[in-house]
Amino acid sequence: MDSQRPRAEPGHPPLEALAVQPLLNRDYESRPAVFYERLRAEYGPVAPVDVLGVPAWLVIGYSQTLDILRDTRGIWSRRVEAWRAYREGAVPADWPMRPVVESGNSGFRDGANSTRLRGAWAEGLRPFQDRSRAEAKALERDVRRYADELITVLAENGGRTGWADLSAQYARPLPLMVIGRLLGDGADGDDELIIDLWRVMDAGPDAQEASDRLTARVAGVCEARTRNPGADLPSYMLAAVPDLTADELTREMAMMTGLVGDVTGTLICNTITEVLIGETGARDSVSAGMIQEAINRASAANPPMANLAFRWARADVRVGRFQIAAGDPVLVSPAAAHLDPAFTRTSAPDSIYSSRAHLAWGAGPHACLGRDLATTVTTIAVERLFERLSALRLALPADQLPWRSSPLMRGLRSLPVTYELAAGAPEPPARPAAADEVPERDAPPADEPDSLVRRVLRMMRLSQS
């Protein structure tokens, strides 16, 4: 008998033989709480699901999710080679998530390899996340400028009132320009790189071609940084871990484009949505000037990454009433875990501060290292929007908002709103750079035809026509 084959616990067959529910379904997209609670009622804290044609375990209990993320017993591997079906050639070649799990970046590494790459990330991000650093101050100024230019452009065709899609016109393009800024000189003005990021995020018919072009362009940027370092993320990562190869750096930067582009863009959009719906306390937090509290509430109520990327069991392990066999694939679901009474009872609904025990950023050895950067960008985006636009209201009933869901992400396809321009909302004051700050880059204002914002928005519209 093959010792690598699953050994079923008496009472249930192995994962491959179980009746599984499709993960992607109408309720998962539009009413995820209904879907997760139905799974919880039927299966308990872990349920067998179908992920685009591949069976997997979905962990929906809070304590079980936290235990797997922390992995104090070393049971869970992030290496695709730990997947039994993958080793046996049973994963379809055209499975849509295969490129993700085969990416080879730090998100799918274990042990010393993971520690080395995450060390590069920690040091590379430090100048942009430590708000006392010149690089962080300069980045925040640029993010405010991008946000203000986007708002100016989306509002310019009306009078004092208007309609806008805050997903396509604001929340999603803003992080794309931040990515260019992090990649450094050359990339920050590369319109084609930024629009290919959009095409990949939009998952349209040309997404694969755009992904190939994007990888090639990012590889070119990384190769250039190995020869001529600058004040940018890949250069700082190379300085921290000099033996990083250009190929390793390219894989990490490709991962960064997805995380900053999609996760941060979705976090901005989800936060705005939670504020406008007004059911989770996020509106009150914004009204009180507590933007980061609004983001925290939105992260708990509707995390951008509803489910975190695959892990595989190294050994047979019991979770809930099921025996997960060595080599079985597992998704952990922060979105579902946040609905577990074990989590929801930790804070009173009328509390000024919501629970910081949510799992939107993961936990344990693979917790998100860019949390502070994403929160800063989102804070600026939400703050500038509500300062410059007043009377923001959803243009559709909340239950009719169009969600775009994947096995990992959950965000809006569009966020239609009506608005009024705020009376006398001041622009960010111009000021000379302090001695310890990186000088602000020259950039055309938004009313000039060749501004980066206008070029990107124009190309985004063309890519959808």
Side-chain angles (χ1 to χ4, degrees):
M1 182 177 178
D2 184 353
S3 62
Q4 294 300 309
R5 299 301 298 172
R7 297 188 298 278
E9 176 200 39
H12 78 79
L15 173 63
E16 292 86 346
L18 286 171
V20 293
Q21 298 202 23
L23 176 62
L24 300 188
N25 59 70
R26 184 173 297 179
D27 280 344
Y28 174 81
E29 181 164 297
S30 60
R31 302 190 303 165
V34 171
F35 173 64
Y36 292 133
E37 290 313 302
R38 187 167 68 240
L39 289 182
R40 199 185 316 277
E42 183 171 353
Y43 297 104
V46 60
V49 297
D50 175 276
V51 183
L52 303 175
V54 167
W57 297 103
L58 182 69
V59 180
I60 58 179
Y62 178 81
S63 62
Q64 293 81 6
T65 295
L66 184 59
D67 181 65
I68 290 172
L69 291 174
R70 287 175 171 168
D71 193 23
T72 56
R73 294 176 291 169
I75 289 174
W76 304 99
S77 175
R78 295 298 298 268
R79 295 175 64 250
V80 69
E81 293 82 5
W83 188 2
R84 185 181 61 259
Y86 183 83
R87 293 195 308 268
E88 295 173 353
V91 178
D94 60 351
W95 185 53
M97 295 194 70
R98 189 165 180 141
V100 176
V101 301
E102 290 180 333
S103 59
N105 59 49
S106 56
F108 293 94
R109 300 283 189 95
D110 286 333
N113 282 333
S114 174
T115 300
R116 171 174 166 270
L117 292 172
R118 285 177 63 83
W121 273 110
E123 292 304 311
L125 286 168
R126 192 181 307 279
F128 302 106
Q129 296 198 127
D130 179 348
R131 301 187 70 183
S132 69
R133 297 279 293 265
E135 296 90 341
K137 295 175 183 177
L139 178 62
E140 289 186 26
R141 289 199 305 271
D142 283 344
V143 173
R144 286 191 180 89
R145 175 166 57 84
Y146 298 147
D148 278 317
E149 289 180 6
L150 285 164
I151 295 168
T152 295
V153 172
L154 73 83
E156 69 184 356
N157 291 326
R160 297 204 59 79
T161 63
W163 178 97
D165 177 356
L166 292 182
S167 176
Q169 294 176 270
Y170 188 65
R172 297 180 75 192
L174 175 59
L176 303 186
M177 290 178 278
V178 173
I179 290 168
R181 177 69 170 72
L182 291 172
L183 288 174
D185 288 335
D188 53 353
D190 188 339
D191 298 357
E192 284 295 333
L193 182 149
I194 292 172
I195 198 60
D196 273 340
L197 273 168
W198 168 263
R199 292 186 179 109
V200 171
M201 288 167 53
D202 212 41
D206 55 355
Q208 185 56 56
E209 293 180 4
S211 178
D212 294 341
R213 289 193 303 268
L214 178 63
T215 299
R217 297 177 94 88
V218 170
V221 169
C222 292
E223 182 64 35
R225 298 298 179 262
T226 62
R227 297 192 305 269
N228 298 298
D232 50 66
L233 177 58
S235 297
Y236 291 141
M237 290 178 69
L238 282 166
V241 182
D243 65 345
L244 272 182
T245 67
D247 183 58
E248 286 178 317
L249 189 60
T250 297
R251 285 198 296 266
E252 298 308 303
M253 291 302 98
M255 178 179 68
M256 182 273 289
T257 61
L259 291 178
V260 174
D262 218 358
V263 174
T264 305
T266 301
L267 179 61
I268 294 170
C269 201
N270 288 1
T271 302
I272 296 168
T273 304
E274 291 297 325
V275 172
L276 297 182
I277 292 174
E279 294 180 352
T280 62
R283 181 191 292 273
D284 292 339
S285 296
V286 168
S287 298
M290 300 164 60
I291 304 293
Q292 291 196 16
E293 173 58 22
I295 295 169
N296 193 70
R297 289 181 183 271
S299 299
N302 196 10
M305 292 197 73
N307 306 310
L308 301 180
F310 284 97
R311 289 156 171 79
W312 296 275
R314 300 177 191 268
D316 294 356
V317 59
R318 187 181 181 88
V319 181
R321 64 183 177 88
F322 289 102
Q323 180 87 347
I324 295 179
D328 276 359
V330 169
L331 285 174
V332 293
S333 177
H338 295 167
L339 296 169
D340 188 336
F343 176 77
T344 58
R345 64 171 172 253
T346 60
S347 62
D350 58 351
S351 174
I352 294 176
Y353 293 102
S354 54
S355 173
R356 265 52 181 174
H358 69 73
L359 304 175
W361 303 105
H366 283 276
C368 179
L369 291 169
R371 173 178 182 168
D372 290 346
L373 176 63
T375 300
T376 295
V377 172
T378 303
T379 299
I380 293 170
V382 174
E383 181 180 63
R384 295 306 302 147
L385 185 74
F386 283 94
E387 283 185 4
R388 293 194 55 190
L389 302 181
S390 66
L392 267 173
R393 295 183 178 88
L394 293 175
L396 286 175
D399 62 359
Q400 294 180 23
L401 291 173
W403 293 91
R404 59 180 186 96
S405 296
S406 77
L408 302 180
M409 301 291 301
R410 184 171 188 268
L412 286 167
R413 296 181 188 278
S414 63
L415 177 54
V417 299
T418 59
Y419 65 85
E420 296 177 10
L421 293 178
E427 296 293 326
R431 62 179 178 80
D436 65 337
E437 293 182 346
V438 175
E440 194 164 357
R441 301 162 183 237
D442 292 333
D447 59 354
E448 291 190 12
D450 62 343
S451 76
L452 175 62
V453 164
R454 290 183 184 278
R455 296 197 310 270
V456 169
L457 290 177
R458 182 170 60 250
M459 294 178 73
M460 287 167 64
R461 286 194 296 269
L462 290 173
S463 75
Q464 293 184 312
S465 62

